[in-house]
Amino acid sequence: MTSRIDWVRGNCRLLRAIAAEFATTQPFRDLTIGTGIHLEPKTVALLLTLKTGGARVVSTGNLNSTQPEAVEYLRANGVDVVGDRTTDEREHDEYLRRVLAAEPHLILDNGGDLFARYLDQPYERLLGGTEETTSGRMRLAKLRSDLSRPILVVNDSPIKQFAENRHAVGQSVLESFLRITNRATNGRKVLVFGYGSVGRGIAATFRSAYASVAVIERDPVLRLEASFDGFQVPERDAGLTTAEIVITATGAVDVITEADLDVLRDRVVLINAGHFPAEIAVERIAADARVAQRQDGPDGITTITLTDRREIYLLAGGHMVNLGGPRPLGNSIESMDLGFALQARCLEAIAAGRAGPDDVVVPVPSSINAMVAEAFLELYR
Ligand SMILES: NC(=O)c1ccc[n+]([C@@H]2O[C@H](COP(=O)([O-])OP(=O)(O)OC[C@H]3O[C@@H](n4cnc5c(N)ncnc54)[C@H](O)[C@@H]3O)[C@@H](O)[C@H]2O)c1
């Protein structure tokens, strides 16, 4: 092993097996695949697997999460990487449009960024593609009739739901909290917003780390489920008044805003685990008249000091915490190997014409789920 990327590639057993197969079957021969996905070691393993399958891969990252070593490694291995790490939405928009300028036959999207922009300037040869996330599915479902190409939503595979969203994100958000703050969770009051797959995994993982966890969830049925799972389900403001660590995992915008400044307690830690950095309205909070000072620390901790001297700590600037801060690791290799094996198999199915025009923004076919599950059980024996 010479680098972390080599370590990750070596441990992605599913992707390694798929790459060995693709080297012979060449499912993407003469095709261009365009991607806009977090560029970090595990996506390197995925993109190089697609390349081994014969594709020209044109790729850019997501906002704020691009890792320079990943970009360097991809470029050295023949992937066209557009742009570099950026937190500037306009710059990011330009990178995405440059990926689309290559008129990829297949799009591997993360958050719906590429498919949504494709509609601004559609081109004939797009066969379809995949979407990785909940947030992307919500965005693209509204555009179904315009997209009219097969788009398989990897997020909606049961495998992604339990392996990544629930188990892996819970673990990596806990790992990120420990890594960035170096503080203990024992006995701390944690408030989780959202009780979807991601929120329930975070709640369970922090409880297993001896925190006292409460949940705020809009949907009363899920709120009831959280209660049955043993979490407190306080009224929103009551929860915020006592919480020492607040974690958003909703896929919604403005979950925590300047309107909450009066109820947040001194030294509260705010963390976002949702895909977009809009769950915590960071800029509006920082610009509020009750804020005396904002200091962006070097290690992913922003300190917001209020005029009444209370301090609020924000991790990773409100961006997805498990890909932020010093030496971010993201979700576990196993969970991403599973999700990316689904990606590779879905793109293969679309390239082979095995997904039809009615399959626009639909879950991964059960035959692919079964194939990937069996392969994992076999290869990780
Ligand atoms: N950090 C990661 O590595 C990672 C991995 C996978 C998914 N995600 C992201 O995490 C987010 C959540 O994913 P999910 O699969 O759990 O989604 P989900 O839709 O299953 O669950 C979100 C829940 O949040 C609730 N909600 C919405 N607005 C709320 C609010 N203002 N207050 C309280 N509850 C609210 C909804 O009712 C829903 O139950 C998405 O943005 C997704 O893209 C992050």
Side-chain angles (χ1 to χ4, degrees):
M1 292 303 157
T2 52
S3 72
R4 168 152 293 278
I5 297 177
D6 292 329
W7 164 258
V8 169
R9 288 186 76 194
N11 277 282
C12 283
R13 299 186 201 176
L14 287 169
L15 285 178
R16 278 166 65 103
I18 292 172
E21 177 192 316
F22 279 4
T24 312
T25 56
Q26 294 287 290
F28 308 120
R29 188 199 306 269
D30 299 329
L31 297 181
T32 297
I33 301 179
T35 80
I37 193 158
H38 307 291
L39 293 180
E40 49 90 47
K42 281 152 280 193
T43 45
V44 170
L46 170 62
L47 298 186
L48 294 179
T49 300
L50 301 177
K51 191 166 177 299
T52 306
R56 174 190 173 212
V57 180
V58 184
S59 190
T60 195
N62 284 167
L63 266 185
N64 196 42
S65 60
T66 299
Q67 297 181 12
E69 315 76 58
V71 172
E72 207 176 299
Y73 196 102
L74 285 168
R75 286 184 175 143
N77 284 278
V79 170
D80 292 347
V81 182
V82 174
D84 282 299
R85 184 189 188 103
T86 181
T87 51
D88 182 317
E89 300 216 9
R90 268 178 311 186
E91 203 167 35
H92 181 51
D93 175 71
E94 187 212 311
Y95 295 163
L96 291 163
R97 291 184 192 281
R98 275 166 54 194
V99 170
L100 289 170
E103 301 201 347
H105 300 85
L106 293 163
I107 288 176
L108 188 168
D109 212 351
N110 194 37
D113 286 340
L114 286 170
F115 280 116
R117 284 170 179 79
Y118 155 80
L119 291 177
D120 294 342
Q121 254 179 312
Y123 52 86
E124 204 41 47
R125 71 183 198 180
L126 179 69
L127 301 171
T130 53
E131 164 55 43
E132 173 79 2
T133 66
T134 319
S135 301
R137 186 240 298 128
M138 282 155 53
R139 188 173 177 192
L140 298 180
K142 296 179 198 142
L143 306 172
R144 261 194 194 102
S145 57
D146 298 325
L147 289 163
S148 65
R149 299 279 197 289
I151 299 173
L152 304 179
V153 182
V154 171
N155 179 74
D156 295 345
S157 159
I159 296 177
K160 171 123 177 348
Q161 288 290 324
F162 64 73
E164 185 190 330
N165 294 18
R166 181 149 57 92
H167 286 284
V169 180
Q171 289 181 344
S172 67
V173 170
L174 175 64
E175 181 273 331
S176 300
F177 171 80
L178 299 173
R179 174 172 44 87
I180 296 173
T181 67
N182 196 204
R183 283 180 45 191
T185 48
N186 307 64
R188 301 282 63 83
K189 294 187 183 65
V190 175
L191 186 65
V192 178
F193 279 76
Y195 203 63
S197 304
V198 173
R200 74 185 57 201
I202 293 170
T205 309
F206 275 77
R207 175 165 63 188
S208 75
Y210 305 98
S212 164
V213 181
V215 169
I216 304 292
E217 163 61 56
R218 267 190 189 155
D219 179 337
V221 176
L222 293 179
R223 205 155 63 232
L224 176 65
E225 188 178 351
S227 166
F228 262 64
D229 289 343
F231 298 108
Q232 300 146 48
V233 285
E235 290 299 323
R236 187 179 182 286
D237 279 5
L240 278 178
T241 308
T242 52
E244 298 169 279
I245 301 165
V246 175
I247 307 172
T248 57
T250 68
V253 299
D254 291 348
V255 179
I256 304 293
T257 72
E258 68 281 11
D260 300 312
L261 280 177
D262 287 338
V263 293
L264 290 173
R265 76 184 257 182
D266 186 26
R267 306 176 71 79
V268 66
V269 179
L270 302 182
I271 300 172
N272 171 42
H275 182 76
F276 290 112
E279 301 213 12
I280 303 171
V282 176
E283 297 311 321
R284 296 210 319 267
I285 290 174
D288 192 272
R290 288 162 287 182
V291 171
Q293 193 185 32
R294 167 189 178 157
Q295 280 176 304
D296 291 312
D299 286 333
I301 304 175
T302 297
T303 303
I304 294 171
T305 310
L306 302 181
T307 47
D308 65 9
R309 298 211 173 156
R310 273 179 299 147
E311 288 190 341
I312 294 170
Y313 308 122
L314 172 75
L315 302 195
H319 288 266
M320 221 164 55
V321 73
N322 50 353
L323 287 175
R327 201 170 174 267
L329 294 174
N331 294 324
S332 64
I333 291 174
E334 288 81 352
S335 69
M336 300 309 290
D337 194 23
L338 274 164
F340 287 167
L342 292 169
Q343 282 282 4
R345 291 300 186 195
C346 286
L347 290 167
E348 178 191 31
I350 292 171
R354 292 201 301 270
D358 294 336
D359 298 327
V360 192
V361 192
V362 298
V364 173
S366 52
S367 56
I368 293 183
N369 286 323
M371 181 187 201
V372 169
E374 275 179 10
F376 187 93
L377 291 169
E378 178 64 31
L379 290 167
Y380 282 84
R381 203 182 277 279

